Structure formats: structure tokens, C-alpha cells
Amino acid sequence: MKIITYNVNGLRAAVTKGLPEWLANEQPDVLCLQETKLQPEQYPAEALDALGYKHYLYSARKKGYSGVAILTKREPDHVEYGMGMEEYDSEGRFMRADYGDLSIVSVYHPSGTSGDERQAFKMVWLEKFRQYVVELQRTRPKLILCGDYNICHEAIDIHDPVRNATNSGFLPEEREWMTRFLNEGFIDTFRLLHPDKQEYTWWSYRFNSRAKNKGWRIDYCMVNEPVRPMLKDARILNDAVHSDHCPMMLEIAD
């Protein structure tokens, strides 16, 4: 089973930049999208349905903002929208598709870059998310948590750890949260399989950052311990250029 996570920074814009052709070539079984920035009626069905994907969308109430989606070749047994927390669910940040005892989540963690208020919102969200998925394991034993976490965990995950130490996304409290999350039995699949690789999934549109590879690794396919024996491959697909992010791919034994 091939799963890809991708923050497309506007799905309709990504479609105009060749996303359908890329998708036809990659052929994931499940594609988790973040930052779709559209309402359900704006979904580019004509371009994507022909590729054999059913789509499930969870949009933000605010138009042109946030939103997650799951495109899948195999029909899920069940799709769950949101975490049952209005202040987060109104921003369209979490959805889950169930396949037997395996659940695949598309999640878009908030960014704190716009100021103190949103940084505080992010920190509360992170704790609520952690509590929610820890509890979720009781009923959904195998979890794959794909998405944009908006956090670099270690110095290897960011191009300039010293100068970025006071920037949202690499703050000590965010990194500490990630450590606690991993210590609770969740696995950063890319880092597990590539302990020394320095690759990124996001580059600022400014300063020609992508060409200079001055990036951040903030997109993850996290799994819990019961999924560990199923892991086959985890790679960053940095040739995809439909967004300021690039996708990450996870392959598991189905």
C-alpha cells in the first residue's frame, strides 16, 4: 500500500501546475492532502476523478483557507471528519479514513508564524491532538498520521538551526512537544529509515530558498507501534513542484 502526504498550498492552483499528471505517474493508493483552500463545490473533479480516486473533503468554514482531503482508490469502511472540537474542526484540520483495523489520517497542524495568538492556539492544538490520537488507539489500533505538522524536530531537519531557533516551527517548546509525542509510541517513519539523511519538505517562496535547498522538514508520515512491522519504505519526493511543500511517500505491507 502506497500512501502519499502533500500540502498542496491550494489544490486548484496545484492542478494548474501539473498535479494530475504527477498523480497519474505516482499512483498512490491513498493521497492525503493539506491546505486544499477550497469548498467542496470547488473541487477540481474533472481533472482528478478520471484517475480513479474517490475524494473525501473536510474544508474550513472560512473560504480559501486550510482544509484537508483524502483521495483514495480503495473505498474506506468509514470516514471520520474532525476531532469533535469545534474551535479546530471549523478550520478543517483533521480527517480519518478506516480500512479494516488500519486508519489513515490527513492532518494539518496550525502555523504560529502570524503572531503570538496563533502560536498559543497551535500549542493548545498540539496537546489536544496528542491526547486525541493516544485515546484513538484504543478503538483504532493501527494509525498512520500523515500531514503537515509545522514543526522541525531536530537540527538535521532544518537548514539553519541556529538562526531559526526563535522562529515558529523550530521553537524549543514545539520540538519538546514532538519529542514527547514520539516517546508515547509514535514513529517518524522517514527518520527511522533514514537516520542521517538531511532532506526537506518545505521551502520559503522568498530568497530563492528551494533552488538553494534552504528548507525545513515539517511534513511527516507518523505511525504507531503496531504499524512498525508493516513499514517497507519512506521517502521524500522532492522532485514534485506544485507547491512550496513537496510530498512524502510511505509504503507499507498491506
Side-chain angles (χ1 to χ4, degrees):
M1 193 177 193
K2 183 178 179 181
I3 302 153
I4 290 179
T5 187
Y6 199 174
N7 178 323
V8 286
N9 193 10
L11 180 55
R12 289 171 296 170
V15 163
T16 67
K17 296 172 186 173
L19 183 78
E21 294 79 2
W22 170 83
L23 189 54
N25 189 53
E26 281 293 337
Q27 292 286 323
D29 297 290
V30 179
L31 176 65
C32 296
L33 299 177
Q34 301 86 41
E35 224 176 336
T36 54
K37 294 184 177 179
L38 49 70
Q39 297 300 302
E41 64 275 10
Q42 297 173 307
Y43 180 78
E46 194 176 327
L48 297 173
D49 284 2
L51 299 172
Y53 290 94
K54 290 184 181 299
H55 62 273
Y56 300 88
L57 308 174
Y58 193 45
S59 301
R61 201 167 297 153
K62 179 179 168 184
K63 290 187 175 175
Y65 176 71
S66 190
V68 290
I70 294 177
L71 277 59
T72 176
K73 289 193 166 185
R74 195 164 96 196
E75 195 160 354
D77 306 325
H78 172 74
V79 177
E80 188 74 23
Y81 299 90
M83 300 192 297
M85 304 175 198
E86 171 59 27
E87 66 270 39
Y88 307 115
D89 293 347
S90 65
E91 295 193 0
R93 293 190 174 275
F94 183 101
M95 67 183 299
R96 183 187 96 227
D98 297 339
Y99 304 86
D101 63 355
L102 178 72
S103 293
I104 300 174
V105 164
S106 181
V107 62
Y108 177 37
H109 290 307
S111 166
T113 54
S114 60
D116 292 346
E117 192 179 328
R118 285 304 285 186
Q119 184 63 36
F121 179 90
K122 178 181 183 177
M123 295 311 298
V124 175
W125 151 281
L126 287 171
E127 198 49 35
K128 297 271 191 189
F129 168 82
R130 185 190 64 79
Q131 291 167 2
Y132 181 85
V133 295
V134 166
E135 182 66 24
L136 183 61
Q137 293 178 104
R138 295 184 181 198
T139 51
R140 303 300 312 160
K142 293 178 178 174
L143 292 179
I144 298 177
L145 307 169
C146 295
D148 177 358
Y149 281 62
N150 266 312
I151 300 172
C152 293
H153 184 215
E154 302 286 4
I156 193 175
D157 300 313
I158 192 165
H159 73 94
D160 190 345
V162 175
R163 276 190 285 190
N164 281 303
T166 55
N167 289 335
S168 178
F170 198 58
L171 295 173
E173 59 267 34
E174 294 170 325
R175 298 173 62 194
E176 185 189 322
W177 175 87
M178 183 73 87
T179 298
R180 277 191 294 121
F181 182 68
L182 296 172
N183 285 343
E184 280 201 78
F186 295 97
I187 298 161
D188 173 355
T189 56
F190 178 80
R191 189 53 69 216
L192 175 75
L193 297 177
H194 308 284
D196 303 316
K197 240 184 197 181
Q198 190 157 13
E199 290 188 8
Y200 308 124
T201 64
W202 175 79
W203 302 261
S204 169
Y205 277 135
R206 301 163 68 201
F207 313 121
N208 208 19
S209 297
R210 190 157 188 173
K212 297 173 183 172
N213 199 28
K214 292 188 171 182
W216 302 43
R217 188 173 73 94
I218 58 176
D219 302 87
Y220 299 84
C221 292
M222 298 282 194
V223 302
N224 64 351
E225 281 294 340
V227 179
R228 185 196 285 262
M230 304 164 71
L231 296 178
K232 290 176 74 180
D233 194 10
R235 278 186 286 123
I236 289 169
L237 308 177
N238 46 29
D239 291 340
V241 290
H242 319 100
S243 168
D244 51 349
H245 293 249
C246 76
M248 185 189 156
M249 184 274 290
L250 180 68
E251 207 172 331
I252 60 166
D254 198 359

